[in-house]
Amino acid sequence: MDPDLSRLAAAVEEHGADGYLFDGHDDSDQYYVCGFDAPDPFLALYDGADVHLLVSGLEYGRAEKESRAATVARLGEYDYQERAARDGPKEARLDVIAAFLADHGVGAALVPGSFPTGTADGLRERDLGVAVERSDVITEIRSVKTDEEIDHVRAAQRANEAALRRAEELIANAEIRDGILYRDDEPLTSEFVKREIEIELLRNGCALDETIVAGGADAADPHDRGSGPLSADEPIVVDIFPRDKESKYHADMTRTFLRGEPSEEVRERYDATLEAQEAALDAVAAGVTGKAVHDAVCDVYEDAGYPTLRSDPSTEVGYIHGTGHGIGLDVHEQPTLNPTGEELQAGQIVTVEPGLYDPEFGGIRIEDLVVVTEDGCENLTDYEKRLVLD
Amino acid sequence: MDPDLSRLAAAVEEHGADGYLFDGHDDSDQYYVCGFDAPDPFLALYDGADVHLLVSGLEYGRAEKESRAATVARLGEYDYQERAARDGPKEARLDVIAAFLADHGVGAALVPGSFPTGTADGLRERDLGVAVERSDVITEIRSVKTDEEIDHVRAAQRANEAALRRAEELIANAEIRDGILYRDDEPLTSEFVKREIEIELLRNGCALDETIVAGGADAADPHDRGSGPLSADEPIVVDIFPRDKESKYHADMTRTFLRGEPSEEVRERYDATLEAQEAALDAVAAGVTGKAVHDAVCDVYEDAGYPTLRSDPSTEVGYIHGTGHGIGLDVHEQPTLNPTGEELQAGQIVTVEPGLYDPEFGGIRIEDLVVVTEDGCENLTDYEKRLVLD
């Protein structure tokens, strides 16, 4: 994939800089620009046309092979070892970076807000200009996906479906004793289901840092990950957001399950959420604002009598979060489907995830992942929506 | 655990600053100082006596409960929403940080080299002093572990042993056909063994980003992760460095296995590596330098006729890396057992991992994890050392 960085080139020129500089690792913007990551910080320069890397000897071979860089230089080419022995590793690295920038005709660099102050100040001491880019232009470029990126997210969502299926099976096959779900004579816990989700994801090439399997009152806080034995007759929110280990792209999906008998209230809340999600999915299209999609959800919930943050900014129950977010190299990225959401563009990938929360009834959330198209959206999620598992 | 931050207080005073400031997340120094982490950057101030946090409303409850901070403030207490609506989220956050620092009497802050330039420059524009601390004092403090930290590493090494046992079983039980290891009529691959290692680690509360299962010529590069079918009659290096998901502390261990018949050369290399490791383990003690431990390994290898980077700095075969590294919240941290290694202190945890590499014979490495004590070391690793699996 060759990203279109013309807007980054324009930002560099606008700031009167000679290039855009990264000095990090494990950073989605840096990875997007250079197509390479490493276990330790490395330097990446975009000169308005090409990307140039400065890496340790250890990473050189892989950077040559994997990155999109036009050139890859080693610290050693700038006598790093000799300088480090004489001046210490930090001063040596700064001197090497300054020499590398001089080689590429860079006297002033634009950098991301996250650029390390140690490097920025060190370069300034060496008479180089360092200015912070504050409009997040790369994040904006990243929000519209290429076909290849969409395929990466699609593949991660397939793995996600397999993992969700495993969670559903565990809940569906549990025995109910005294209102608690059991498996092999042990209470079925959030922790166990989460572990089995992780194992299924690993088998499908994905990993994750966190996942949510939350029942009852736990799920009334949308950020609670859930813990302890799962109960019958209560909704259980399962929200999985894995990353494909190879492509580094994410997927995201939520379903709410219930074993036993839902109360009438829970049934109504589930149906209202289904209807709210349908309204949002119908609203999504290029040119429509994220705010309009969010409003479509609020309309349904408010008509059904539930409070939303739109109708009552201080409410702690009802619909208390935004409708969705972009996804890609980061699990949360641009654009947003919330009260400040701007115009959607074709090729953006967003989650659509309305939900209702109340400590009395627990939490309910239904989340799909869609690609924005010119006249609507394509749903990347293939998983039925069903509350009660018999 | 309450870390002893007196040396950090001294560094703050030495620099004429009023406090030490972090603005990050997923950072071991920041986590060590405040006992808290979050999915997004948050502010942590050490004022020479106590830690004070500034977090989003979303993280407030957890920060109050989990962190070691004396006080936890919310962005909202400083009118963040109103400021953001008026001035945008970045300016708003900087204004809030400036107000928070004023509340704590901080006019000049010491920061780590990784501190974001966007925040540093923004605070300087608001007439606050920001200076980079360049001696890595927190990293130094972190190198000596408390009993609680040692227990965390010990627990992670138990999980590591279970995972290594699983890898050993897979290799030991493989069928040999035409020199290739098979399992269920499929070649046994590095990828499969790594996945099974990961699954076993998950079952034991650990996770990892990378692991090494490398046979034959792959293993002659100590940084190669290994790929493809595993062969008989060749050493297979299995190096696992998991992180306990709860405590966030790491473990590390390597064994080299072989199915079939080792050549005489491979047997000799294995025995020399065992002897070199024994010499290093004998050498480790408080007051001994990391260099002396490394030299003990080089002595054994050179006496046995193998090149080392000490005897030939340009060699690409033989003993071509350092003897070990500290481990804790990071998988590589202070101190080091290498040619520049300084005096070891009781309570430091280090790996001891000599090895021999040559594309002709593959790679051999044996790695244990030990705690430095006043008169030697305690080995945290309980796993036999045996090359040939029958």
Side-chain angles (χ1 to χ4, degrees):
Chain A
M1 187 197 76
D2 240 331
D4 175 3
L5 299 176
S6 51
R7 272 189 291 167
L8 183 58
V12 167
E13 204 174 318
E14 215 173 280
H15 281 77
D18 307 306
Y20 192 95
L21 194 63
F22 295 96
D23 180 22
H25 72 119
D26 200 10
D27 175 283
S28 296
D29 281 356
Q30 185 167 355
Y31 178 76
Y32 185 82
V33 167
C34 69
F36 178 71
D37 200 10
D40 293 297
F42 65 97
L43 212 83
L45 169 69
Y46 173 66
D47 66 6
D50 290 313
V51 174
H52 306 279
L53 300 184
L54 176 65
V55 302
S56 74
L58 197 61
E59 299 297 342
Y60 178 76
R62 213 166 50 80
E64 276 274 313
K65 204 164 60 183
E66 296 178 10
S67 82
R68 275 192 293 275
T71 68
V72 180
R74 272 167 286 201
L75 293 172
E77 293 168 37
Y78 294 91
D79 302 325
Y80 172 75
Q81 291 299 347
E82 294 80 347
R83 292 176 194 261
R86 194 181 58 224
D87 310 320
K90 289 192 187 185
E91 292 301 306
R93 186 164 185 271
L94 289 166
D95 285 331
V96 166
I97 294 174
F100 169 83
L101 292 176
D103 270 2
H104 289 282
V106 174
L110 196 61
V111 301
S114 62
F115 193 83
T117 304
T119 309
D121 285 2
L123 294 179
R124 287 164 178 162
E125 283 163 17
R126 285 157 179 80
D127 291 327
L128 281 139
V130 176
V132 173
E133 199 273 325
R134 297 188 180 193
S135 64
D136 295 329
V137 59
I138 302 174
T139 308
E140 219 174 87
I141 296 171
R142 277 173 48 202
S143 82
V144 176
K145 270 69 181 174
T146 64
D147 288 346
E148 193 182 330
E149 289 179 288
I150 294 170
D151 283 344
H152 289 328
V153 174
R154 201 190 303 272
Q157 190 76 323
R158 291 295 88 78
N160 200 351
E161 286 155 7
L164 187 64
R165 190 66 67 194
R166 175 73 182 131
E168 179 179 337
E169 276 168 14
L170 286 166
I171 296 168
N173 296 331
E175 231 186 293
I176 301 175
R177 294 189 214 159
D178 301 328
I180 302 288
L181 303 189
Y182 273 78
R183 177 178 183 275
D184 295 341
D185 287 331
E186 298 273 344
L188 180 66
T189 61
S190 288
E191 290 82 353
F192 184 85
V193 176
K194 285 190 263 191
R195 206 180 68 191
E196 292 297 309
I197 287 170
E198 284 198 62
I199 290 172
E200 191 62 35
L201 288 173
L202 277 181
R203 292 194 199 282
N204 287 276
C206 285
L208 49 68
D209 283 332
E210 295 271 14
T211 191
I212 296 175
V213 177
D218 278 358
D221 171 356
H223 295 278
D224 194 308
R225 269 64 172 116
S227 62
L230 295 166
S231 294
D233 310 325
E234 286 183 349
I236 300 168
V237 172
V238 182
D239 185 350
I240 316 178
F241 31 101
R243 181 179 55 91
D244 186 289
K245 293 171 91 169
E246 180 77 22
S247 75
K248 300 179 192 283
Y249 281 77
H250 290 81
D252 199 348
M253 171 164 38
T254 306
R255 290 291 182 270
T256 302
F257 301 125
L258 184 144
R259 273 300 299 288
E261 264 314 307
S263 65
E264 196 51 42
E265 177 69 33
V266 164
R267 252 188 221 288
E268 282 171 15
R269 285 169 171 259
Y270 189 86
D271 291 343
T273 299
L274 257 186
E275 194 191 329
Q277 198 202 28
E278 230 15 91
L281 291 169
D282 284 347
V284 170
V288 172
T289 64
K291 176 181 187 307
V293 178
H294 181 66
D295 280 337
V297 169
C298 292
D299 288 345
V300 171
Y301 278 143
E302 290 169 18
D303 284 352
Y306 299 103
T308 72
L309 286 175
R310 187 180 73 173
S311 65
D312 174 6
S314 69
T315 185
E316 293 182 354
V317 298
Y319 185 43
I320 52 176
H321 56 63
T323 295
H325 53 83
I327 196 164
L329 290 170
D330 287 327
V331 69
H332 289 128
E333 52 178 64
Q334 291 303 313
T336 57
L337 307 182
N338 69 20
T340 61
E342 300 181 359
E343 264 191 26
L344 298 173
Q345 298 170 57
Q348 291 180 328
I349 302 184
V350 292
T351 67
V352 177
E353 47 176 317
L356 286 175
Y357 308 89
D358 189 320
E360 201 181 332
F361 309 107
I364 283 159
R365 183 165 63 256
I366 305 172
E367 174 184 29
D368 286 354
L369 196 57
V370 307
V371 188
V372 180
T373 59
E374 286 303 340
D375 53 0
C377 67
E378 181 200 347
N379 199 324
L380 299 179
T381 321
D382 181 18
Y383 207 102
E384 66 280 6
K385 296 162 192 172
R386 185 166 62 113
L387 174 63
V388 181
L389 307 180
D390 319 286
Chain B
M1 186 197 77
D2 241 330
D4 174 4
L5 299 176
S6 52
R7 273 188 290 166
L8 182 59
V12 167
E13 202 174 320
E14 214 172 280
H15 280 77
D18 308 306
Y20 191 95
L21 194 63
F22 294 96
D23 180 23
H25 72 120
D26 199 10
D27 174 282
S28 296
D29 281 357
Q30 184 167 357
Y31 179 76
Y32 184 83
V33 167
C34 68
F36 179 71
D37 200 10
D40 293 297
F42 65 97
L43 212 82
L45 168 69
Y46 174 66
D47 66 8
D50 291 313
V51 174
H52 306 279
L53 300 184
L54 176 65
V55 302
S56 73
L58 197 60
E59 300 296 343
Y60 178 75
R62 212 165 51 80
E64 277 274 317
K65 203 163 61 185
E66 296 178 10
S67 82
R68 275 192 292 276
T71 67
V72 180
R74 273 166 284 203
L75 293 173
E77 294 169 34
Y78 293 92
D79 303 326
Y80 171 75
Q81 290 300 346
E82 294 80 347
R83 292 176 195 262
R86 194 180 57 224
D87 309 319
K90 288 191 187 188
E91 292 302 306
R93 186 163 185 272
L94 289 165
D95 285 331
V96 166
I97 295 173
F100 169 83
L101 292 176
D103 271 1
H104 289 282
V106 174
L110 196 60
V111 302
S114 62
F115 193 83
T117 304
T119 310
D121 285 2
L123 294 179
R124 287 164 177 163
E125 283 164 17
R126 285 158 179 80
D127 291 326
L128 282 140
V130 176
V132 173
E133 198 274 325
R134 297 187 182 193
S135 65
D136 295 329
V137 59
I138 302 174
T139 308
E140 221 174 86
I141 297 171
R142 277 173 48 202
S143 84
V144 176
K145 270 69 181 176
T146 64
D147 289 345
E148 192 181 331
E149 289 179 288
I150 294 170
D151 283 343
H152 288 329
V153 173
R154 200 189 305 271
Q157 191 75 324
R158 291 294 88 78
N160 201 351
E161 287 156 8
L164 187 63
R165 191 66 67 196
R166 173 74 182 131
E168 179 179 338
E169 276 167 13
L170 286 167
I171 295 168
N173 296 330
E175 229 185 293
I176 300 175
R177 293 189 213 159
D178 301 328
I180 301 289
L181 303 189
Y182 274 79
R183 177 178 183 274
D184 295 342
D185 286 332
E186 299 270 347
L188 180 66
T189 61
S190 288
E191 290 82 353
F192 184 84
V193 177
K194 284 189 264 192
R195 206 180 68 190
E196 292 298 307
I197 287 170
E198 284 197 62
I199 290 172
E200 192 61 35
L201 289 173
L202 277 181
R203 293 194 198 282
N204 287 277
C206 285
L208 49 67
D209 283 333
E210 296 270 13
T211 191
I212 295 175
V213 177
D218 277 0
D221 172 355
H223 295 278
D224 194 308
R225 270 61 173 117
S227 61
L230 295 166
S231 295
D233 310 327
E234 288 184 349
I236 300 168
V237 173
V238 183
D239 185 351
I240 316 179
F241 31 101
R243 181 179 55 91
D244 185 289
K245 293 171 91 170
E246 182 76 21
S247 75
K248 299 180 194 280
Y249 281 77
H250 290 81
D252 200 347
M253 171 165 36
T254 306
R255 290 292 183 266
T256 302
F257 300 125
L258 184 146
R259 272 300 299 288
E261 263 317 306
S263 65
E264 196 49 42
E265 177 69 34
V266 164
R267 251 186 222 288
E268 283 172 16
R269 286 170 171 257
Y270 190 86
D271 292 343
T273 299
L274 258 185
E275 195 190 328
Q277 199 202 27
E278 229 16 89
L281 291 169
D282 284 347
V284 170
V288 173
T289 63
K291 176 180 187 307
V293 178
H294 181 65
D295 280 337
V297 169
C298 293
D299 288 346
V300 171
Y301 279 143
E302 290 169 19
D303 283 353
Y306 300 103
T308 73
L309 286 174
R310 187 180 71 172
S311 64
D312 174 4
S314 69
T315 186
E316 293 182 353
V317 298
Y319 185 43
I320 52 176
H321 57 64
T323 295
H325 54 84
I327 195 164
L329 289 170
D330 288 327
V331 69
H332 290 128
E333 53 179 63
Q334 292 302 314
T336 58
L337 308 181
N338 68 22
T340 61
E342 299 180 359
E343 265 192 26
L344 298 173
Q345 299 171 57
Q348 291 180 327
I349 302 184
V350 291
T351 67
V352 178
E353 47 177 317
L356 286 175
Y357 307 89
D358 189 320
E360 201 181 333
F361 308 108
I364 284 159
R365 183 165 63 254
I366 305 172
E367 175 184 29
D368 285 355
L369 197 56
V370 307
V371 188
V372 180
T373 60
E374 286 304 340
D375 52 0
C377 66
E378 181 201 346
N379 199 326
L380 299 180
T381 322
D382 181 17
Y383 207 101
E384 66 279 6
K385 296 162 193 171
R386 184 167 62 113
L387 174 64
V388 180
L389 308 180
D390 318 289

